[in-house]
Amino acid sequence: MYPEYTDVIRKYCLNDVESLITEIEEQLLGAIKGKQIQEKQDDLNLLLHATMKSISFLREILLMCRHGFPDGALILARNLYEQMIICLFIIEKQGEEHDRILENYYADYECTRLKYIIEGAKRFNDEKQINETKEKLEEHKKKYGSKHNAYWWSEKRCFNEIEDIVINADNPLKGLFNNMHMEYRTASILVHPSCFSNMVHIGSPFKGIDMRAQREGHEESLFLATTSMIPLVGHTYERLGLDFGEVVDGLNRYGIYYWEIVVERNGTKSSTAKI
């Protein structure tokens, strides 16, 4: 059992971030109950699911940081960034294009479910289930025109194309998004068992086989996670009619704090954009 590092908890304000996301979670759950929000295929439900999932992942990130695992924490932060990019991509669309992409996004649930069933049936040579499920999948694909591409619903070929649209929009936060993108790229490398990812350990100045717990390097995952939460929380609160100023300011404050540590440790040029 790995111990908790009290110096890491203190330096990275882990308890404070935990308290903030607990406050956000309680406010969202309270609003859902108070306003009797129903499950629908709309922007609000898109944001609620993404935000609540991100809160869960952020708790896991904090847990990893407490025990000294910055690589795993950054890999999890990758998901929060993708959640944020996808939500912004959808909600910033207008008119018929927005409605079509949102419908496709929800239709992909069934597409993914059917593909999963087929994969399981193949493992156990269940020809009957394979054929029956393939028929359902073909009907689904015919209705929505979906391909095997994981991002067919977006009408783009891959996540990078979605990301480029969000980042390169007329947005004063482009500098911030570029900094976030580079942390995301690091996480995308670490998640795969490449030569580079097997030899690099965030927080360690050395390249090698020592992959034990680290007290440094946690700022990268915490920066990416807290800044990714800002648009998710802001848009979700706005649609629920909640005052997001205090909680977004809190996330912003921690994002700046973690980025300053990144800059200090790596000598990275800070973005001129305000987080």
Side-chain angles (χ1 to χ4, degrees):
M1 181 68 179
Y2 283 88
E4 286 193 345
Y5 297 119
T6 54
D7 54 334
V8 171
I9 295 171
R10 184 172 56 253
K11 175 181 177 180
Y12 293 102
C13 309
L14 301 186
N15 289 338
D16 296 329
V17 175
E18 173 71 35
S19 296
L20 178 59
I21 62 173
T22 297
E23 178 184 353
I24 293 170
E25 181 182 58
E26 290 175 350
Q27 289 180 0
L28 290 177
L29 292 175
I32 292 169
K33 182 178 180 180
K35 297 177 182 292
Q36 298 183 324
I37 303 299
Q38 302 297 315
E39 283 280 349
K40 293 181 181 178
Q41 295 184 3
D42 58 11
D43 283 349
L44 176 56
N45 275 273
L46 165 75
L47 287 162
L48 282 171
H49 283 285
T51 302
M52 297 302 282
K53 185 80 168 185
S54 295
I55 287 173
S56 177
F57 274 126
L58 183 46
R59 284 203 172 97
E60 294 179 31
I61 290 167
L62 295 174
L63 186 62
M64 285 193 170
C65 292
R66 285 176 180 274
H67 294 282
F69 296 104
D71 296 70
L74 183 59
I75 289 170
L76 281 176
R78 177 177 181 263
N79 184 275
L80 274 72
Y81 178 77
E82 290 178 340
Q83 295 273 19
M84 181 267 293
I85 291 292
I86 288 171
C87 285
L88 290 181
F89 174 79
I90 295 174
I91 66 177
E92 290 177 358
K93 295 294 183 183
Q94 302 293 325
E96 292 183 3
E97 183 183 18
H98 166 271
D99 296 342
R100 183 177 65 253
I101 289 177
L102 183 64
E103 182 181 3
N104 287 347
Y105 174 83
Y106 279 102
D108 188 57
Y109 176 96
E110 181 65 6
C111 188
T112 302
R113 188 184 74 85
L114 292 172
K115 288 178 181 178
Y116 181 84
I117 293 173
I118 292 170
E119 182 66 21
K122 286 180 178 178
R123 298 306 99 191
F124 298 98
N125 299 314
D126 189 340
E127 292 295 332
K128 183 174 182 294
Q129 187 173 60
I130 291 172
N131 293 331
E132 289 177 351
T133 311
K134 276 187 174 181
E135 287 183 11
K136 293 178 181 178
L137 179 59
E138 288 305 314
E139 291 175 3
H140 189 77
K141 289 166 62 178
K142 184 177 180 180
K143 179 179 179 180
Y144 291 98
S146 64
K147 310 291 184 182
H148 284 288
N149 178 355
Y151 293 98
W152 69 269
W153 56 265
S154 68
E155 301 176 356
K156 303 300 174 187
R157 291 175 298 178
C158 59
F159 176 79
N160 287 346
E161 290 188 2
I162 298 173
E163 183 189 27
D164 285 343
I165 289 172
V166 174
I167 290 179
N168 294 323
D170 185 13
N171 195 322
L173 299 181
K174 184 174 180 179
L176 168 63
F177 281 147
N178 284 334
N179 288 332
M180 296 170 71
H181 169 79
M182 294 314 299
E183 298 298 346
Y184 170 74
R185 291 308 304 162
T186 301
S188 297
I189 294 171
L190 290 175
V191 75
H192 299 294
S194 66
C195 179
F196 185 92
S197 68
N198 284 345
M199 297 178 70
V200 171
H201 190 19
I202 296 176
S204 171
F206 305 107
K207 180 176 69 176
I209 62 173
D210 188 350
M211 294 291 166
R212 289 176 295 179
Q214 290 285 332
R215 285 180 162 85
E216 303 295 332
H218 304 288
E219 60 275 3
E220 299 196 27
S221 63
L222 292 168
F223 162 72
L224 185 59
T226 52
T227 50
S228 294
M229 287 292 294
I230 292 172
L232 290 172
V233 171
H235 283 290
T236 305
Y237 269 55
E238 183 178 37
R239 280 164 173 74
L240 288 170
L242 300 176
D243 181 4
F244 58 81
E246 185 176 344
V247 292
V248 167
D249 285 347
L251 291 168
N252 184 65
R253 184 170 61 253
Y254 291 121
I256 292 172
Y257 174 68
Y258 297 133
W259 181 247
E260 287 174 346
I261 301 176
V262 172
V263 173
E264 181 181 359
R265 186 168 69 84
N266 297 334
T268 308
K269 291 183 179 180
S270 180
S271 167
T272 56
K274 181 180 183 297
I275 293 178

